[in-house]
Amino acid sequence: MFKQRKIKNSKNHSEFLKTLLHSLPKEEVIYEPEELSVYECDGLTAFRVLPLAVVIPQKIEEILVILSACKRFGVPIVVRGGGTGLSGGATPVEGGIVLSLSKFNQILEIDPINQVARVEPGVTNMQVSQSAAPYGLYFAPDPSSQIACTIGGNIAENAGGIHCLKYGLTVNNVLAIKMLTVEGEIVSIGNVGGESPGCDLLSLIVGSEGMLGIVIEATLRLLPKPECAKLVVGCFDDVTEASKTVSQIIASGIVPAGLEIMDKLVIEAVQSYIQVGFPTSAAAVLLCELDGMFEEVEEECRLVEQIMIQMGAKEIIRSKNEEERLLLWKARKSAFPAAGRISPDYYCMDGTIPRKSLAFVLKRIAELAAQYNLRVGNVFHAGDGNIHPLILYDNSIVGEMERVESLGEKILELCVEVGGSITGEHGVGLEKLGPMCLQFSLEEIQQFHRIKRALDPDALLNPGKAIPTLHRCAEFGKMHVHQGQIAFAGIERF
């Protein structure tokens, strides 16, 4: 599919490292094994690879030097932001380097008139909103890891967050980028106006997982802070009732800023972690945030509470002030660390499904969890059907990780079956290469490869991620079938 990389021996490795050390300040090149171990994985710790080296440039000119050396020696490059990704997108490639953009951490401009921010890729998500706050503005995408995740990583994975239902994912809030191609050319895509002639290349790059170029600058859309925001929490005795309430709220014409569900296992974990007042007797809580003008929010809160009660909510909690609203959201954003306190290990899944299928899918996940004898907690963006099942396990138990991976594949297969997707915001990375074969036909996968070859003909940028090879799909045994006919039936199945 791609040209074969030729760097396979220690002599080439040695020459490559000498080139880096000669061309860059010594402190920008890490190559000692004990120091490299910090970079052996991202937030998906099940995949670990020790890179050949880690480079931490401070100037664009230094990135160009690195690109030139990598191209000369055929060394693959994995670009890294905050390392918080959950699909293995920033996992190093054997014999390759990690290019950390942590030093590209400057906010270049906050333009309150045009309501945009120009930032470098190493700026954290939360830092953008903090810098825009004096102007009454903020950056809408807010992943749970926003205190640490970077804008470059958000762009690579098309990150979302609890407010993406109303305000969109990263792709809806990035107006323009500057990107380095693997050839070292600086390319500008998009503009402040948000409309560009020709193909929508911005949407191609956002979510491409670092496989098509290296983002060195981004222009972000900022939004005015709403006059009022309140959070309504419905507590239910049945997660099915909470799931059906989601569709009823949307059907009423209300578009919440956020609409989230946590099930009983997650509620209990969170309550023991930060104690926010959720009733641990509840089977599920539905968090619904409403924002806008004060009178509008008050009326929508009343309507949402009425719908929740009609759908079976046994208790309603409404935030009384901004401090209480933020505390309730902190509970939701603490779900992942809270899960880490009740289980030695957990595996966070990411898939999307139609809202109408929420109740069915949650029931099937519970049945699958029982079948695999594993505990699964559910916490997710219910408004747009982006589910995040947390599979709890103990990696020290022989064979348990294999059962977890098998259960994870079954959950993603279920997402596709009901008309959803294998990822909503975490990306494909290494984790979902197999399930990609479930969702896309061979023709579609081939088209992905054509785009990759056009922008990175030597496959140096994050190779082996996001797009499965045709042979991998054959080995996975689940090629996408059209009308009962398997394309390329001659490819050997294992």
Side-chain angles (χ1 to χ4, degrees), residues 85-249:
L86 293 169
S87 63
T91 303
V93 175
E94 186 176 356
I97 65 165
V98 169
L99 173 59
S100 170
L101 296 178
S102 59
K103 296 293 186 181
F104 286 77
N105 57 6
Q106 298 300 305
I107 292 183
L108 304 173
E109 180 186 13
I110 301 289
D111 180 352
I113 303 299
N114 290 306
Q115 297 183 353
V116 299
R118 263 193 328 114
V119 305
E120 292 183 325
V123 170
T124 64
N125 177 287
M126 182 172 284
Q127 190 181 348
V128 178
S129 288
Q130 288 173 338
S131 299
Y135 305 98
L137 303 170
Y138 75 108
F139 183 55
D142 56 347
S144 294
S145 59
Q146 67 180 148
I147 192 172
C149 66
T150 64
I151 293 300
N154 290 174
I155 290 172
E157 304 294 350
N158 191 23
I162 58 178
H163 291 103
C164 61
L165 170 62
K166 186 173 184 178
Y167 297 110
L169 299 162
T170 298
V171 69
N172 307 113
N173 292 277
V174 174
L175 297 172
I177 61 168
K178 284 185 181 179
M179 181 183 82
L180 280 174
T181 69
V182 73
E183 303 292 342
E185 181 184 0
I186 297 179
V187 177
S188 295
I189 301 173
N191 57 62
V192 174
E195 296 289 338
S196 298
C199 297
D200 185 6
L201 296 179
L202 193 59
S203 294
L204 174 66
I205 300 301
V206 177
S208 62
E209 304 195 26
M211 298 179 64
L212 303 179
I214 300 171
V215 174
I216 54 175
E217 185 182 308
T219 302
L220 310 176
R221 173 183 283 113
L222 300 177
L223 298 177
K225 286 185 179 178
E227 177 185 298
C228 177
K230 292 194 175 182
L231 187 60
V232 178
V233 181
C235 307
F236 294 82
D237 288 341
D238 186 344
V239 71
T240 298
E241 293 175 350
S243 300
K244 291 180 178 179
T245 305
V246 172
S247 294
Q248 289 299 315
I249 291 172

Side-chain angles (χ1 to χ4, degrees), residues 16 20 24 28-30 53-57 66 97-101:
F16 172 72
L20 288 184
L24 300 170
E28 293 183 5
V29 183
I30 299 172
V54 174
V55 287
I56 313 175
I66 295 164
I97 65 165
V98 169
L99 173 59
S100 170
L101 296 178

Side-chain angles (χ1 to χ4, degrees), residues 27 61 64 226 284 288 423 473 492:
E27 63 272 15
E61 292 77 13
L64 294 174
C288 179
T423 182
C473 286
E492 186 175 0

Side-chain angles (χ1 to χ4, degrees), residues 203-395:
S203 294
L204 174 66
I205 300 301
V206 177
S208 62
E209 304 195 26
M211 298 179 64
L212 303 179
I214 300 171
V215 174
I216 54 175
E217 185 182 308
T219 302
L220 310 176
R221 173 183 283 113
L222 300 177
L223 298 177
K225 286 185 179 178
E227 177 185 298
C228 177
K230 292 194 175 182
L231 187 60
V232 178
V233 181
C235 307
F236 294 82
D237 288 341
D238 186 344
V239 71
T240 298
E241 293 175 350
S243 300
K244 291 180 178 179
T245 305
V246 172
S247 294
Q248 289 299 315
I249 291 172
I250 300 296
S252 73
I254 296 172
V255 182
L259 198 54
E260 305 279 308
I261 286 180
M262 298 192 298
D263 72 3
K264 186 175 182 61
L265 191 153
V266 177
I267 294 167
E268 292 175 349
V270 167
Q271 188 61 23
S272 66
Y273 184 55
I274 59 173
Q275 299 180 352
V276 294
F278 291 152
T280 53
S281 60
V285 294
L286 173 60
L287 298 88
C288 179
E289 178 165 292
L290 303 152
D291 66 3
M293 303 295 287
F294 181 82
E295 293 81 3
E296 174 191 17
V297 170
E298 282 295 313
E299 176 62 15
E300 290 186 344
C301 283
R302 185 187 65 79
L303 290 173
V304 166
E305 289 173 355
Q306 182 179 325
I307 292 170
M308 287 181 172
I309 291 171
Q310 289 174 348
M311 296 300 294
K314 296 300 186 287
E315 183 179 344
I316 302 290
I317 302 170
R318 188 198 292 198
S319 61
K320 300 179 182 66
N321 49 49
E322 183 67 3
E323 182 180 0
E324 189 170 308
R325 183 183 73 89
L326 294 175
L327 179 62
L328 290 168
W329 274 131
K330 183 179 180 181
R332 161 61 182 88
K333 292 195 172 188
S334 297
F336 294 168
R341 295 185 56 176
I342 64 171
S343 176
D345 302 282
Y346 70 83
Y347 181 24
C348 178
M349 301 298 300
D350 168 52
T352 60
I353 58 175
R355 279 191 297 267
K356 66 180 181 180
S357 301
L358 278 172
F360 170 75
V361 168
L362 291 176
K363 181 182 178 182
R364 283 291 296 129
I365 288 175
E367 293 169 351
L368 288 168
Q371 178 183 329
Y372 281 86
N373 194 28
L374 291 164
R375 291 188 298 163
V376 178
N378 289 286
V379 52
F380 53 94
H381 311 308
D384 57 359
N386 186 191
I387 62 173
H388 294 309
L390 297 175
I391 306 175
L392 309 184
Y393 70 103
D394 185 347
N395 198 39

